[in-house]
């Protein structure tokens, strides 16, 4: 299918929900993508942070193939080996004791919201239902997670929003203290705001938030849908900050492109009883086999360490570019989750020019360019990107 045919079918039959770029991709391998004309691209977006170990990694493909040939689905009324092995593996590499599997980050966050309210109820706080989140945050596109999202422009077309969410400025501990009341059941934060423009929490702020949650016996939820699975140079961003949440949500990078979300909780916070939460497809054997293989690849190929090393190299090269061009005003992020703030409102133009030059990146707002490459990115590929950026800026 060529680009014209794809556009025609999209305009005729697909809802107008995406501002698509003019490319039809047909193949992926490692850090590379190919379009319908055979043109090769270096992928610095990885499906918005999804393809963490690279496109079509053979170990993930083999695991999925083997599982598809053995068992594709039964309901969660029965045990399956891939799901339980994955839950054990996540517990081994994180603070968590218990997992619940969903199909996406939004569903994992919906589960976290329900879990926080349930935790409050069983601890005698029948009127505690509010969750405090940060302005500029992004937690999903379902109605509840949209209400949790601290970007009012995204909520406006769908008002009224479900009640129970209060938004405060990020990194302002006094504002958070003032927002917490007897009605509060949790604080929900992204350690680094991804969709909002790659804005990190300050380390002391997160330590103060942890202390505040302990003081009031309310849950601290970290949305690590984008920062999780090695993206920041640590397997989870909370480890970089030295602040452990009670609940964490994962999706994107854990499935190598398969639809999976995970709600991770400590034993104390895992308050659900049978029948209080569930999913028909969540935690199916195929996606769990793929996710298990993904974590194994992260470990076997040291991709978390590579994210830290190559991410630092990428950041250093961007800082040099900021000095030599004068066209970049700020560089934000950690590991291979980086963004540059441009001095002019032309990020969409720069992303389109990068695309024409065979590099896939992402524009946020009018002046931010975001980079979320596969974690197998090499320094030589960073040099290739910097060379193109220097010319285009």
């Amino acid at each position: 299918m060529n680009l014209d045919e794809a556009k025609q079918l999209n305009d005729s039959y697909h809802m107008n929900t995406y501002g698509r770029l003019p490319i039809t991709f047909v193949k992926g391998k490692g850090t590379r993508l190919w379009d319908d004309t055979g043109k090769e691209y270096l992928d610095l977006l990885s499906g918005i942070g999804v393809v963490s170990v690279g496109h079509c990694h053979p170990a993930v493909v083999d695991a999925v193939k083997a599982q598809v040939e053995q068992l594709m689905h039964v309901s969660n009324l029965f045990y399956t080996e891939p799901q339980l092995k994955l839950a054990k593996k996540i517990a081994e590499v994180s603070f968590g004791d218990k997992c619940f599997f969903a199909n996406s980050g939004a569903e994992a966050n919906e589960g976290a919201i329900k879990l926080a309210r349930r935790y409050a109820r069983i601890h005698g706080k029948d009127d505690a239902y509010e969750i405090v989140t940060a302005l500029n945050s992004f937690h999903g596109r379902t109605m509840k997670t949209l209400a949790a999202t601290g970007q009012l422009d995204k909520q406006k077309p769908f008002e009224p929003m479900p009640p129970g969410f209060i938004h405060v400025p990020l990194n302002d501990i006094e504002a958070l203290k003032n927002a917490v009341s007897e009605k509060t059941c949790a604080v929900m934060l992204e350690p680094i705001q991804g969709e909002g423009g790659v804005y990190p929490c300050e380390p002391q702020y997160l330590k103060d938030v942890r202390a505040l949650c302990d003081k009031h016996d309310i849950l601290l939820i970290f949305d690590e849908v984008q920062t999780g699975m090695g993206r920041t140079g640590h397997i989870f961003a909370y480890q970089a900050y030295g602040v452990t949440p009670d609940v964490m949500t994962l999706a994107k990078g854990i499935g190598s492109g398969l639809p999976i979300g995970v709600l991770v909780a400590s034993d104390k916070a895992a308050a659900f009883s049978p029948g209080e939460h569930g999913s028909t497809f969540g935690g199916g054997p195929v996606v769990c086999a793929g996710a298990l293989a993904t974590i194994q690849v992260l470990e076997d190929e040291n991709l978390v360490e590579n994210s830290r090393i190559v991410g630092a190299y990428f950041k250093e090269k961007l800082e040099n570019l900021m000095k030599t061009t004068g066209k970049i005003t700020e560089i934000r992020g950690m590991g291979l989750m980086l963004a540059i703030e441009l001095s002019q409102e032309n990020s969409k133009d720069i992303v389109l020019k990068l695309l024409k030059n065979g590099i896939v990146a992402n524009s946020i707002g009018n002046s931010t360019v975001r980079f979320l490459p596969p974690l197998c990115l090499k320094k030589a590929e960073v040099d290739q990107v910097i060379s193109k950026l220097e010319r285009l800026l």
Side-chain angles (χ1 to χ4, degrees):
M1 182 184 297
N2 62 37
L3 182 59
D4 287 339
E5 292 169 336
K7 281 181 175 176
Q8 186 177 2
L9 285 172
N10 183 75
D11 292 345
S12 298
Y13 300 112
H14 194 277
M15 284 194 188
N16 186 27
T17 55
Y18 302 108
R20 296 188 199 269
L21 295 167
I23 302 285
T24 304
F25 285 120
V26 297
K27 179 184 169 186
K29 189 72 178 173
T31 58
R32 304 289 165 158
L33 287 166
W34 287 264
D35 71 13
D36 60 299
T37 70
K39 182 178 176 180
E40 182 178 325
Y41 298 79
L42 174 60
D43 185 7
L44 296 191
L45 185 56
S46 64
I48 314 183
V50 167
V51 190
S52 54
V53 299
H55 292 276
C56 300
H57 192 288
V60 178
V61 171
D62 288 347
V64 170
K65 277 183 178 176
Q67 189 58 50
V68 165
E69 289 173 352
Q70 186 167 339
L71 177 68
M72 290 181 68
H73 180 76
V74 292
S75 80
N76 276 305
L77 299 175
F78 304 94
Y79 302 113
T80 63
E81 185 173 316
Q83 183 187 93
L84 298 176
K85 281 187 172 179
L86 179 59
K88 179 174 182 286
K89 187 65 183 177
I90 292 170
E92 288 171 352
V93 299
S94 77
F95 73 93
D97 298 305
K98 298 288 193 300
C99 292
F100 170 83
F101 294 104
N103 305 287
S104 67
E107 279 187 66
N109 283 334
E110 284 272 355
I113 292 164
K114 286 179 66 177
L115 186 65
R117 293 187 176 184
R118 187 71 189 109
Y119 177 88
R121 294 291 197 292
I122 66 173
H123 285 80
K125 297 180 179 180
D126 291 343
D127 297 326
Y129 66 96
E130 290 180 347
I131 296 179
V132 186
T133 75
L135 288 169
N136 197 46
S137 61
F138 184 82
H139 298 294
R141 296 186 186 278
T142 64
M143 287 302 287
K144 265 287 196 301
T145 56
L146 188 59
T149 292
Q151 299 183 49
L152 304 185
D153 59 322
K154 287 185 166 51
Q155 297 179 353
K156 200 72 179 172
F158 308 103
E159 289 180 337
M161 287 289 104
F165 298 93
I166 298 175
H167 306 104
V168 296
L170 188 68
N171 291 324
D172 185 339
I173 190 64
E174 291 305 317
L176 182 58
K177 286 179 179 175
N178 291 333
V180 170
S181 71
E182 292 181 351
K183 294 182 179 177
T184 307
C185 64
V187 175
M188 185 175 189
L189 296 171
E190 299 159 278
I192 302 174
Q193 291 184 338
E195 199 274 345
V198 189
Y199 287 95
C201 288
E202 293 171 1
Q204 188 57 49
Y205 173 72
L206 282 190
K207 289 182 173 64
D208 291 343
V209 175
R210 177 69 270 180
L212 184 69
C213 290
D214 290 340
K215 178 182 176 183
H216 293 277
D217 191 21
I218 56 179
L219 296 185
L220 176 56
I221 302 168
F222 279 175
D223 177 341
E224 292 229 27
V225 167
Q226 191 165 130
T227 55
M229 309 316 301
R231 174 57 57 190
T232 65
H234 302 264
I235 185 81
F236 305 109
Y238 78 81
Q239 296 166 332
Y241 285 94
V243 176
T244 304
D246 303 295
V247 176
M248 172 175 72
T249 55
L250 305 171
K252 291 188 183 293
I254 194 170
S256 294
L258 297 165
I260 180 170
V262 192
L263 171 61
V264 185
S266 65
D267 266 331
K268 181 186 175 187
F272 286 141
S273 297
E276 291 181 341
H277 198 50
S279 170
T280 296
F281 295 106
V286 177
V287 296
C288 286
L292 201 54
T294 298
I295 297 175
Q296 196 63 53
V297 172
L298 285 173
E299 292 181 342
D300 292 347
E301 300 185 6
N302 297 317
L303 293 185
V304 179
E305 183 182 10
N306 190 69
S307 172
R308 184 164 61 249
I309 293 171
V310 177
Y313 181 77
F314 198 169
K315 199 170 188 180
E316 179 187 338
K317 292 292 180 182
L318 289 171
E319 286 167 349
N320 292 338
L321 204 57
M322 181 164 67
K323 292 174 187 170
T324 56
T325 66
K327 300 290 181 64
I328 300 172
T329 60
E330 188 178 13
I331 299 160
R332 299 186 293 269
M334 191 186 298
L336 285 173
M337 180 179 183
L338 297 170
I340 56 174
E341 197 70 28
L342 302 177
S343 58
Q344 296 181 330
E345 293 188 347
N346 61 346
S347 58
K348 290 177 183 172
D349 182 48
I350 293 297
V351 165
L352 277 173
K353 287 179 178 176
L354 282 171
L355 199 58
K356 287 180 181 174
N357 281 271
I359 295 172
V360 180
N362 178 228
S363 167
I364 302 176
N366 296 320
S367 58
T368 305
V369 178
R370 176 172 55 166
F371 304 109
L372 299 168
L375 306 186
C376 51
L377 188 75
K378 296 178 174 62
K379 288 183 179 178
E381 293 172 321
V382 172
D383 292 338
Q384 180 186 344
V385 176
I386 294 297
S387 174
K388 297 282 186 187
L389 265 177
E390 186 172 28
R391 188 158 56 82
L392 295 174
L393 289 174

